[in-house]
Amino acid sequence: GVPITDGESNIFFEIDCSRQTEEEEKMLCQHPEYAHLSKILTEGLGLGKDGFAPAQLPAIYSALDGSDVFLSLPPGSGKSAIFQVLVF
């Protein structure tokens, strides 16, 4: 991500998933929690038959790592599934 700063500290990191490379996507799928999260998405929630949408995995992993997450995505891009997977 790209750090956004106020000159003294990083406020947040911007993650641009519209430019996600194939290598970055592969790294996201190798995360230790990936198989468990995929099972929750498909079997537990009945969603994501085509896998995770762009931006979902980076947001989920950031939250699992204890980071605060501010997510701005257009309607229909899977924001609700992120929250549901985290609390499932």
Side-chain angles (χ1 to χ4, degrees):
V2 179
I4 307 298
T5 182
D6 62 1
E8 296 178 19
S9 62
N10 287 338
I11 299 171
F12 65 92
F13 285 87
E14 177 183 6
I15 300 171
D16 184 354
C17 291
S18 66
R19 298 183 195 154
Q20 190 170 307
T21 66
E22 191 173 308
E23 183 178 312
E24 289 170 328
E25 186 174 334
K26 185 177 178 182
M27 286 176 51
L28 290 170
C29 294
Q30 292 176 348
H31 190 280
E33 294 291 329
Y34 180 77
H36 178 70
L37 294 169
S38 293
K39 188 173 182 176
I40 291 172
L41 184 73
T42 57
E43 294 177 19
L45 299 173
L47 302 170
K49 290 177 178 56
D50 296 325
F52 287 95
Q56 286 180 320
L57 284 174
I60 291 169
Y61 294 156
S62 293
L64 289 175
D65 289 339
S67 298
D68 292 333
V69 177
F70 174 81
L71 189 62
S72 176
L73 295 170
S77 58
K79 293 181 297 294
S80 295
I82 294 168
F83 304 117
Q84 293 171 11
V85 165
L86 289 170
V87 299
F88 197 85

